[in-house]
């Protein structure tokens, strides 16, 4: 959307205000997916939720490429943003649940790595397709985002040893309330009572333990300062920022954003290797 916005404004003849809403509304729309992700994953499981997210991503990005007016583009943005909300919740949770203890810190940061790698690919596609005709270029920039979702499917080894796998299975059974002697492919899982769910919210928000309070403050604090730094605005409005700095010409602007994407991705990788 960062590079495509230049061409969307010229092609659809929309105001700056409408363009700002189109670009920034993702943060509002994605809240819906984030709030619903936990219940969906409890209902159909993490793996199927990820597949469901892939379908939403594909539909949102693909149809954006065929938008004929501002209203249609906003609706397609809404669909894609729901997928963003789901993915931001489910991907890290699924990763930490299935990764071996020996590599958990490293693997848990992978969703963040590939979010930034995806942003870099977005910048590169902006540059690559900027030479296309005006009506076609921005539609290809947005529509090409459907391609990665086709490859989104969880697979592979999740434990270092059979003993670790057995221990993890026992933990899952205990958490789900399944008797240890039940080993069938399909078992009846007791439904969580509303009182139990309310107790969990109370433990996290209303009366957390000292340890939980430190975890909560750390997570919220990191997120707050990450957003307060303005990095989201820089990522989204890169071309405008560099244009204000004196760089002219769409090709130069989009090429500069690619350099920012490379730098951002490289330093995310540094953090990933140092995390454990």
């Amino acid at each position: 959307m960062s590079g495509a916005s230049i061409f969307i404004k010229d092609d659809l003849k929309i105001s700056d205000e409408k363009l700002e809403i189109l670009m920034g509304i993702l943060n509002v729309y994605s809240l819906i997916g984030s709030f619903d992700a936990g219940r969906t994953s409890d209902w159909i499981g993490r793996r199927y939720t990820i597949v469901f997210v892939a379908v939403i991503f594909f539909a949102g990005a693909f149809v954006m490429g065929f938008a004929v007016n501002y209203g249609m583009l906003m609706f397609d943005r809404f669909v894609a943003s729901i997928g963003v909300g789901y993915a931001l919740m489910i991907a890290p949770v699924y990763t930490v649940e299935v990764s071996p203890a020996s590599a958990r810190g490293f693997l848990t940061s992978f969703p963040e790595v590939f979010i930034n790698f995806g942003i870099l690919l977005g910048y590169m596609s902006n540059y690559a397709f900027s030479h296309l005709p005006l009506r076609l270029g921005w539609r290809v920039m947005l529509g090409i985002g459907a391609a990665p979702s086709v490859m989104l499917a969880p697979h592979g080894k999740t434990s270092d040893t059979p003993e670790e796998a057995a221990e993890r299975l026992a933990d899952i059974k205990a958490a789900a309330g399944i008797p240890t002697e039940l080993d069938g492919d399909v078992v009846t899982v007791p439904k969580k009572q509303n009182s139990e769910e309310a107790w969990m919210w109370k433990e996290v928000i209303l009366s957390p333990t000292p340890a939980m309070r430190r975890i909560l403050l750390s997570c919220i604090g990191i997120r707050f300062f990450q957003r307060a730094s303005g990095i989201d605005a820089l990522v989204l409005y890169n071309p405008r920022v560099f244009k204000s700095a004196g760089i002219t010409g769409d090709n130069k602007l989009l090429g500069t954003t690619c350099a920012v994407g490379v730098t951002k991705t490289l330093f995310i990788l540094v953090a990933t290797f140092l995390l454990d």
Side-chain angles (χ1 to χ4, degrees):
M1 186 58 75
S2 175
S5 64
I6 302 172
F7 308 101
I8 291 173
K9 188 175 187 297
D10 292 339
D11 187 25
L12 299 183
K13 304 294 189 296
I14 58 176
S15 64
D16 274 344
E17 288 74 19
K18 284 188 174 182
L19 187 64
E20 289 165 7
I21 293 171
L22 176 68
M23 297 175 73
I25 201 71
L26 179 144
N27 294 307
V28 178
Y29 287 157
S30 62
L31 285 174
I32 301 171
S34 296
F35 280 127
D36 200 44
R39 290 183 180 275
T40 304
S41 63
D42 285 345
W43 179 39
I44 63 175
R46 311 285 196 247
R47 290 171 63 94
Y48 287 118
T49 301
I50 291 176
V51 173
F52 176 60
V53 170
V55 173
I56 296 177
F57 271 138
F58 181 86
F62 185 76
V63 181
M64 266 197 289
F66 292 93
V68 295
N69 54 47
Y70 181 74
M72 184 176 177
L73 195 54
M74 278 290 286
F75 176 77
D76 299 336
R77 182 78 158 159
F78 169 75
V79 175
S81 300
I82 296 295
V84 171
Y86 266 91
L88 288 175
M89 289 293 292
I90 294 303
V93 172
Y94 181 77
T95 303
V96 75
E97 286 180 342
V98 303
S99 58
S102 59
R104 188 165 294 143
F106 177 75
L107 293 176
T108 304
S109 61
F110 261 43
E112 191 70 21
V113 171
F114 285 107
I115 285 171
N116 283 276
F117 184 63
I119 290 172
L120 172 58
L121 289 180
Y123 288 150
M124 293 172 66
S125 72
N126 288 337
Y127 183 79
F129 300 127
S130 63
H131 303 88
L132 294 175
L134 178 62
R135 292 183 61 84
L136 180 61
W138 67 265
R139 289 180 168 87
V140 177
M141 292 175 191
L142 299 181
I144 198 69
S149 62
V150 177
M151 299 179 288
L152 189 62
H155 59 84
K157 186 180 75 170
T158 61
S159 299
D160 287 330
T161 64
E163 291 76 16
E164 184 182 349
E167 182 180 348
R168 179 169 297 170
L169 179 59
D171 290 340
I172 292 171
K173 286 182 175 180
I178 301 172
T180 54
E181 64 273 9
L182 290 182
D183 289 320
D185 291 333
V186 180
V187 297
T188 301
V189 179
K191 284 189 175 182
K192 290 182 179 179
Q193 301 297 321
N194 289 335
S195 58
E196 183 181 351
E197 186 173 335
W199 175 81
M200 287 188 290
W201 278 105
K202 183 180 179 182
E203 184 184 31
V204 173
I205 303 295
L206 299 179
S207 57
T209 63
M212 180 62 72
R213 188 181 297 113
R214 286 193 292 270
I215 293 170
L216 194 62
L217 289 174
S218 297
C219 292
I220 293 175
I222 288 170
R223 277 301 188 194
F224 171 79
F225 287 109
Q226 184 181 16
R227 300 310 177 203
S229 70
I231 189 62
D232 280 358
L234 181 61
V235 167
L236 206 52
Y237 289 101
N238 248 328
R240 289 201 172 199
V241 171
F242 287 115
K243 187 175 182 178
S244 299
I247 298 175
T248 58
D250 291 344
N251 287 340
K252 288 182 179 179
L253 287 172
L254 296 177
T256 307
T257 63
C258 290
V260 172
V262 170
T263 305
K264 195 167 184 288
T265 304
L266 285 177
F267 280 94
I268 290 290
L269 283 171
V270 171
T272 298
F273 284 102
L274 295 176
L275 185 63
D276 274 348

